[in-house]
Amino acid sequence: MENLPDSLQVFKRSLDQQGFVSPMLTTLAPHEKLKRPSSNQEIFGYLLDGELKLVTEQSHKTYSKHEIFFIDGQDGFEIQCGSDGAQYLFAFKHSQKSIC
């Protein structure tokens, strides 16, 4: 696993080039639910372990270990964890709005 730090740096640079902030790690307990309203902020995620279901108005999709998910931010969403919980990386896209 010597390449892990280099791989993580490459992953971070790739996200930065696409306008996403550095990834953050989240761990959710078995059967935990995380509900968020629309925010108009895109989210890119990578599931490290477990299983989660992403529920939006348009879809209900289940993701497993090592799968990538994307949330466009236009609608609210809910993440529902499976019986083993979930651990995932996620990154928000930089806002295009300027702050005065």
Side-chain angles (χ1 to χ4, degrees), residues 13-83:
R13 280 194 301 272
S14 176
L15 285 175
D16 189 49
Q17 290 171 353
Q18 296 177 52
F20 288 90
V21 298
S22 185
M24 295 166 270
L25 178 66
T26 297
T27 301
L28 298 175
H31 305 291
E32 187 172 356
K33 294 180 181 181
L34 177 67
K35 190 171 186 170
R36 296 286 183 259
S38 65
S39 65
N40 293 322
Q41 190 170 38
E42 296 173 21
I43 300 170
F44 174 84
Y46 178 72
L47 190 58
L48 297 170
D49 199 15
E51 182 178 276
L52 62 81
K53 184 176 191 179
L54 178 61
V55 179
T56 67
E57 287 183 23
Q58 287 81 25
S59 70
H60 297 84
K61 182 151 171 68
T62 301
Y63 296 91
S64 299
K65 185 176 182 176
H66 298 158
E67 288 191 307
I68 294 170
F69 60 93
F70 181 78
I71 301 168
D72 69 10
Q74 297 301 312
D75 297 312
F77 67 92
E78 181 173 285
I79 292 176
Q80 302 170 354
C81 292
S83 59

